[in-house]
Amino acid sequence: MSDLGHVLVLAGGLSYEREVSLRSGRRVSDVLRAAGVSAETCDVDAALVPRVLADPPSAVFVTLHGGAGEDGAIRSVLDLLSVPYVGARSEACRIAFDKPTAKTVVRQAGLRTPESVTLPKETFHDLGASAVLTRIVERLGLPLFVKPSRGGSALGASIVRTAEDLPSAMVGCFAYGDTALIERYVEGVEVAVSVVDLGDGPAALPPVEIVPDNGVYDYAARYTAGRTEFFAPARLSPEAAAACAEMAVTAHTALGLRDLSRTDLIVDGDGRPHFLEVNVAPGMTETSLFPMAVEASDRDLGSICRSLLEQAATRGAA
């Protein structure tokens, strides 16, 4: 058994991504136990704080997706409890979780990202939906990609290929958040690049290429086995793969992230990657991209998770 002591894997919560988070939490707990770590999955509810105070864990692995899991809130609570955890600090999470803000930061760092418009629901209604949407199409062109400015798992996200489809896409987006991010859609190869830092600085894992059966990597395509074909490593030229790795590490660093992250991007027909968004708590389910990247690197997921927890525990002790 590991001398790490007992650790908690936080999963569940109350976001739209609760079920995915529970699956991620079970997977991380299983691989940690296989790696000799005494790991226990813990839901995030009113019992969490008393439980942690009564029996402080050596470290916490956060597998919460969306909402408080990625916006820094739960990490702020862990900081108040003086409990070390794997992943970015709360301040960095707040920046990375808000997609328009993250795009601004990485653009300032020199990364290519699609032109976009950020539109709160109130502005959308107050200024007249029709006039605003017409101007967006004139400005950005078609096709477009519409998604909530905060959140994940492609909930509320859709591709818009005609101006007539934009209003319904906006309605679907606002069902999952109060602010929409409307981007110019880039045709190309969808790729995810995971980054891990085990103490020697952030390093990119092999890129994972995503090929959904219906052409859209939506919620069902992400979490239903057989709905999406994955290639790890991605079928990219060496030059394009290197550019993707560099983009992911640069985004990780520019956003002030820590331990692990996953950057989603599109590689266009000229082999140029475009930054889409970054995930501070990558999914760990059987169909998630971070574990695929780990496997493609010929490493063991349990060993990496254990090392990240040991690193977090050392930070806490310091």
Side-chain angles (χ1 to χ4, degrees), residues 190-266:
E190 191 164 358
V191 173
V193 182
S194 297
V195 170
V196 66
D197 184 350
L198 299 178
D200 297 322
L205 298 177
V208 179
E209 179 182 347
I210 303 157
V211 186
D213 60 1
N214 66 350
V216 180
Y217 193 42
D218 55 15
Y219 186 91
R222 288 168 188 251
Y223 302 113
T224 305
R227 288 288 305 273
T228 300
E229 190 173 8
F230 301 98
F231 296 90
R235 300 170 298 177
L236 300 171
S237 69
E239 296 78 13
C244 290
E246 181 180 2
M247 176 170 282
V249 171
T250 299
H252 181 97
T253 303
L255 291 164
L257 304 184
R258 187 174 67 178
D259 295 338
L260 76 170
S261 67
R262 192 197 74 232
T263 293
D264 299 336
L265 47 87
I266 292 286

Side-chain angles (χ1 to χ4, degrees), residues 7 27 43 47 67 97 99 108 113 126 141 149 157-158 163 167 171 183 185 192 227 265 268 279 302:
V7 303
R27 177 85 182 278
D43 207 335
F97 187 60
K99 296 179 179 66
Q108 291 172 345
T113 186
D126 292 349
S149 67
S158 59
V171 171
E183 289 182 316
Y185 181 71
R227 288 288 305 273
L265 47 87
D268 66 23
N279 192 305

Side-chain angles (χ1 to χ4, degrees), residues 292-311:
M292 291 182 196
V294 170
E295 183 177 353
S297 71
D298 294 323
R299 292 191 248 184
D300 176 68
L301 181 61
S303 296
I304 285 182
C305 291
R306 181 182 63 196
S307 295
L308 291 172
L309 282 164
E310 290 170 345
Q311 193 166 262

Side-chain angles (χ1 to χ4, degrees), residues 99 144-160 168-177 181 183 216-219 222 277:
K99 296 179 179 66
L144 298 168
F145 196 82
V146 178
K147 58 186 174 183
S149 67
R150 297 157 64 89
S153 293
L155 293 168
S158 59
I159 298 174
V160 175
S168 61
M170 297 293 290
V171 171
C173 177
F174 287 137
Y176 290 94
L181 174 64
E183 289 182 316
V216 180
Y217 193 42
D218 55 15
Y219 186 91
R222 288 168 188 251
E277 59 189 75

Side-chain angles (χ1 to χ4, degrees), residues 89-112:
R89 300 174 181 86
S90 59
E91 297 86 352
C93 288
R94 282 193 288 271
I95 294 171
F97 187 60
D98 187 78
K99 296 179 179 66
T101 303
K103 281 168 66 73
T104 298
V105 171
V106 301
R107 185 181 288 111
Q108 291 172 345
L111 299 187
R112 185 184 301 105

